[in-house]
Amino acid sequence: MNNIMLMDVLDLHDHCEADAAIPEILGDAFLFQNNFLYRNIRKAVLGLGFTFTQDDFCNYSVMPFASLPQILAQKKIPYFDNVSILKKLESENPQQFNYYGIPPVRRNYLLHESCHCLAETLLKKVNLNSVVKDPEQQKALKLVMGESLANTAEALAHALNPSDEQKLFYEINSYLVFDPKENQELMKAVKLIGYPSLFRLMYCSYLYSNCLFDSIKDKDFKKLVEFSITDKKLKINPAGLKVLRKVFNRSFQLNEDFRFGTTNFYFTLAGVQGDLFELLDLKLCEIICSSASIHAFLDSSEKYIF
């Protein structure tokens, strides 16, 4: 696939159409047609009244991490036209460029930002008073719940790209890119427990990671597996637990400095008061397994995603 010509990439892009896809985003229609998570999340945010725009009203091109409050307020998600320049290159230099031999164009992150918009819409209905008493901890937990949904959807959607063409297009539309070995582990986990249950388990893992945990106790992991599996008759043997543990532990590989820095930035931006580590000092396994609010949030998310 590394030998694919730019002409062929553009031809794949142009031969896919979908009403909710954006022609100026490379591979958007292709992913919309072939990746059901990508498609369902797009439909969900459009149904919630969000739109997409090339107008950089929130300085997204300069500092995307600071743009979310304005995206939510205006219900508009920015994107970049990364197709026109490629068509210009191909038109002026026909059949001369290997796609991987040209400087990379700017990525788009509509899937990630759309997940934030979906999460924030659903989180408005979530009351965490029974989960944590401190109002600042409630704000902090809601923020990491939203980020975890975006991380989970991106990671799971990556497993839905079996072809080289889908992988190429997905990588230019996502933050998270897994290697083939990791993708194989994801697909093993899907076969074990199915997409909805794996979604829940991966959500738990990213919630742990975004709450700045770097590991999980074995007994807590087994509780979360039991919590996540929707078919309560399904029993996972030790070999299966090992597969699920590998997938769960992937979230802990997020860069530690990035996790600390961005979490602290988001909390400050959102006006959350308090020490970062004290805010996230939570009995997370207990909260996940016992909180009706978190259960309802996951139920609502799954209705849109699946």
Side-chain angles (χ1 to χ4, degrees), residues 6 14 29 72 89 92 113 162 175 192 201 221 283 300:
L6 175 60
D14 286 337
L72 295 171
L89 282 175
E92 295 176 353
E113 306 302 356
Y175 281 110
L192 272 174
L201 186 62
F221 169 71
K283 295 179 180 179
S300 298

PDB file of all heavy atoms in Angstrom, residues 6 14 29 72 89 92 113 162 175 192 201 221 283 300:
ATOM      1  N   LEU A   6      -0.923   9.027  -5.729  1.00  0.00           N
ATOM      2  CA  LEU A   6      -1.865  10.072  -5.334  1.00  0.00           C
ATOM      3  C   LEU A   6      -3.108  10.033  -6.217  1.00  0.00           C
ATOM      4  O   LEU A   6      -4.234  10.192  -5.728  1.00  0.00           O
ATOM      5  CB  LEU A   6      -1.189  11.444  -5.435  1.00  0.00           C
ATOM      6  CG  LEU A   6      -2.084  12.660  -5.177  1.00  0.00           C
ATOM      7  CD1 LEU A   6      -2.691  12.617  -3.778  1.00  0.00           C
ATOM      8  CD2 LEU A   6      -1.287  13.962  -5.377  1.00  0.00           C
ATOM      9  N   ASP A  14     -13.038  10.210  -4.772  1.00  0.00           N
ATOM     10  CA  ASP A  14     -14.080  10.790  -5.631  1.00  0.00           C
ATOM     11  C   ASP A  14     -15.200   9.804  -5.953  1.00  0.00           C
ATOM     12  O   ASP A  14     -16.315  10.227  -6.273  1.00  0.00           O
ATOM     13  CB  ASP A  14     -13.461  11.291  -6.941  1.00  0.00           C
ATOM     14  CG  ASP A  14     -12.674  12.578  -6.738  1.00  0.00           C
ATOM     15  OD1 ASP A  14     -12.950  13.286  -5.761  1.00  0.00           O
ATOM     16  OD2 ASP A  14     -11.788  12.849  -7.567  1.00  0.00           O
ATOM     17  N   ALA A  29     -16.184  10.341   2.822  1.00  0.00           N
ATOM     18  CA  ALA A  29     -17.296   9.543   2.303  1.00  0.00           C
ATOM     19  C   ALA A  29     -16.953   8.057   2.301  1.00  0.00           C
ATOM     20  O   ALA A  29     -17.812   7.206   2.564  1.00  0.00           O
ATOM     21  CB  ALA A  29     -17.664  10.004   0.894  1.00  0.00           C
ATOM     22  N   LEU A  72     -18.944  23.833  21.237  1.00  0.00           N
ATOM     23  CA  LEU A  72     -20.188  23.434  21.898  1.00  0.00           C
ATOM     24  C   LEU A  72     -21.191  24.579  21.928  1.00  0.00           C
ATOM     25  O   LEU A  72     -22.392  24.372  21.718  1.00  0.00           O
ATOM     26  CB  LEU A  72     -19.886  22.954  23.322  1.00  0.00           C
ATOM     27  CG  LEU A  72     -19.039  21.678  23.425  1.00  0.00           C
ATOM     28  CD1 LEU A  72     -18.615  21.437  24.868  1.00  0.00           C
ATOM     29  CD2 LEU A  72     -19.798  20.478  22.885  1.00  0.00           C
ATOM     30  N   LEU A  89      -2.153  19.423  -7.048  1.00  0.00           N
ATOM     31  CA  LEU A  89      -0.867  18.766  -7.289  1.00  0.00           C
ATOM     32  C   LEU A  89      -0.977  17.732  -8.395  1.00  0.00           C
ATOM     33  O   LEU A  89      -0.124  17.661  -9.287  1.00  0.00           O
ATOM     34  CB  LEU A  89      -0.379  18.084  -6.002  1.00  0.00           C
ATOM     35  CG  LEU A  89       0.258  18.942  -4.918  1.00  0.00           C
ATOM     36  CD1 LEU A  89       0.550  18.095  -3.686  1.00  0.00           C
ATOM     37  CD2 LEU A  89       1.544  19.587  -5.427  1.00  0.00           C
ATOM     38  N   GLU A  92      -1.523  19.356 -11.904  1.00  0.00           N
ATOM     39  CA  GLU A  92      -0.342  20.007 -12.457  1.00  0.00           C
ATOM     40  C   GLU A  92       0.819  19.038 -12.689  1.00  0.00           C
ATOM     41  O   GLU A  92       1.751  19.336 -13.438  1.00  0.00           O
ATOM     42  CB  GLU A  92       0.104  21.132 -11.527  1.00  0.00           C
ATOM     43  CG  GLU A  92      -0.916  22.269 -11.434  1.00  0.00           C
ATOM     44  CD  GLU A  92      -0.523  23.340 -10.427  1.00  0.00           C
ATOM     45  OE1 GLU A  92       0.486  23.139  -9.707  1.00  0.00           O
ATOM     46  OE2 GLU A  92      -1.219  24.374 -10.363  1.00  0.00           O
ATOM     47  N   GLU A 113     -13.959  15.200  17.565  1.00  0.00           N
ATOM     48  CA  GLU A 113     -14.725  16.360  18.016  1.00  0.00           C
ATOM     49  C   GLU A 113     -16.222  16.038  18.078  1.00  0.00           C
ATOM     50  O   GLU A 113     -16.936  16.515  18.970  1.00  0.00           O
ATOM     51  CB  GLU A 113     -14.480  17.556  17.085  1.00  0.00           C
ATOM     52  CG  GLU A 113     -13.021  17.942  16.884  1.00  0.00           C
ATOM     53  CD  GLU A 113     -12.275  18.278  18.170  1.00  0.00           C
ATOM     54  OE1 GLU A 113     -12.882  18.297  19.251  1.00  0.00           O
ATOM     55  OE2 GLU A 113     -11.049  18.495  18.082  1.00  0.00           O
ATOM     56  N   PRO A 162     -10.484  -2.896   7.883  1.00  0.00           N
ATOM     57  CA  PRO A 162      -9.699  -4.067   7.495  1.00  0.00           C
ATOM     58  C   PRO A 162      -8.843  -3.866   6.248  1.00  0.00           C
ATOM     59  O   PRO A 162      -7.822  -4.522   6.086  1.00  0.00           O
ATOM     60  CB  PRO A 162     -10.777  -5.128   7.241  1.00  0.00           C
ATOM     61  CG  PRO A 162     -11.996  -4.343   6.857  1.00  0.00           C
ATOM     62  CD  PRO A 162     -11.933  -3.081   7.665  1.00  0.00           C
ATOM     63  N   TYR A 175      -6.850  10.922  15.628  1.00  0.00           N
ATOM     64  CA  TYR A 175      -5.662  11.099  16.462  1.00  0.00           C
ATOM     65  C   TYR A 175      -4.982   9.762  16.719  1.00  0.00           C
ATOM     66  O   TYR A 175      -3.758   9.660  16.739  1.00  0.00           O
ATOM     67  CB  TYR A 175      -6.035  11.701  17.829  1.00  0.00           C
ATOM     68  CG  TYR A 175      -6.285  13.188  17.828  1.00  0.00           C
ATOM     69  CD1 TYR A 175      -7.564  13.698  18.018  1.00  0.00           C
ATOM     70  CD2 TYR A 175      -5.239  14.091  17.680  1.00  0.00           C
ATOM     71  CE1 TYR A 175      -7.805  15.063  18.043  1.00  0.00           C
ATOM     72  CE2 TYR A 175      -5.460  15.464  17.700  1.00  0.00           C
ATOM     73  CZ  TYR A 175      -6.746  15.942  17.892  1.00  0.00           C
ATOM     74  OH  TYR A 175      -6.976  17.292  17.915  1.00  0.00           O
ATOM     75  N   LEU A 192     -14.647 -12.115  21.167  1.00  0.00           N
ATOM     76  CA  LEU A 192     -14.920 -12.655  22.496  1.00  0.00           C
ATOM     77  C   LEU A 192     -16.218 -12.117  23.088  1.00  0.00           C
ATOM     78  O   LEU A 192     -17.051 -12.872  23.592  1.00  0.00           O
ATOM     79  CB  LEU A 192     -13.773 -12.307  23.452  1.00  0.00           C
ATOM     80  CG  LEU A 192     -12.588 -13.252  23.542  1.00  0.00           C
ATOM     81  CD1 LEU A 192     -11.518 -12.641  24.437  1.00  0.00           C
ATOM     82  CD2 LEU A 192     -13.008 -14.605  24.105  1.00  0.00           C
ATOM     83  N   LEU A 201     -15.949  -1.777  28.028  1.00  0.00           N
ATOM     84  CA  LEU A 201     -14.688  -2.098  28.687  1.00  0.00           C
ATOM     85  C   LEU A 201     -13.604  -1.095  28.309  1.00  0.00           C
ATOM     86  O   LEU A 201     -12.836  -0.632  29.174  1.00  0.00           O
ATOM     87  CB  LEU A 201     -14.247  -3.511  28.315  1.00  0.00           C
ATOM     88  CG  LEU A 201     -13.003  -4.018  29.049  1.00  0.00           C
ATOM     89  CD1 LEU A 201     -13.229  -4.085  30.553  1.00  0.00           C
ATOM     90  CD2 LEU A 201     -12.579  -5.388  28.513  1.00  0.00           C
ATOM     91  N   PHE A 221     -10.059  -5.112  37.590  1.00  0.00           N
ATOM     92  CA  PHE A 221     -10.210  -5.388  36.155  1.00  0.00           C
ATOM     93  C   PHE A 221     -11.300  -6.429  35.923  1.00  0.00           C
ATOM     94  O   PHE A 221     -12.154  -6.266  35.043  1.00  0.00           O
ATOM     95  CB  PHE A 221      -8.878  -5.879  35.573  1.00  0.00           C
ATOM     96  CG  PHE A 221      -8.994  -6.441  34.193  1.00  0.00           C
ATOM     97  CD1 PHE A 221      -9.242  -5.619  33.108  1.00  0.00           C
ATOM     98  CD2 PHE A 221      -8.893  -7.815  33.984  1.00  0.00           C
ATOM     99  CE1 PHE A 221      -9.374  -6.149  31.831  1.00  0.00           C
ATOM    100  CE2 PHE A 221      -9.023  -8.347  32.715  1.00  0.00           C
ATOM    101  CZ  PHE A 221      -9.256  -7.518  31.636  1.00  0.00           C
ATOM    102  N   LYS A 283     -12.458   6.495  43.766  1.00  0.00           N
ATOM    103  CA  LYS A 283     -12.574   5.041  43.805  1.00  0.00           C
ATOM    104  C   LYS A 283     -13.295   4.622  42.527  1.00  0.00           C
ATOM    105  O   LYS A 283     -14.492   4.329  42.511  1.00  0.00           O
ATOM    106  CB  LYS A 283     -13.342   4.612  45.053  1.00  0.00           C
ATOM    107  CG  LYS A 283     -12.610   4.937  46.359  1.00  0.00           C
ATOM    108  CD  LYS A 283     -13.420   4.502  47.566  1.00  0.00           C
ATOM    109  CE  LYS A 283     -12.675   4.821  48.862  1.00  0.00           C
ATOM    110  NZ  LYS A 283     -13.451   4.429  50.067  1.00  0.00           N
ATOM    111  N   SER A 300     -27.068   5.567  26.967  1.00  0.00           N
ATOM    112  CA  SER A 300     -27.444   6.608  25.997  1.00  0.00           C
ATOM    113  C   SER A 300     -26.406   6.699  24.882  1.00  0.00           C
ATOM    114  O   SER A 300     -26.762   6.838  23.700  1.00  0.00           O
ATOM    115  CB  SER A 300     -27.572   7.958  26.701  1.00  0.00           C
ATOM    116  OG  SER A 300     -28.593   7.931  27.683  1.00  0.00           O
TER     117      SER A 300
END
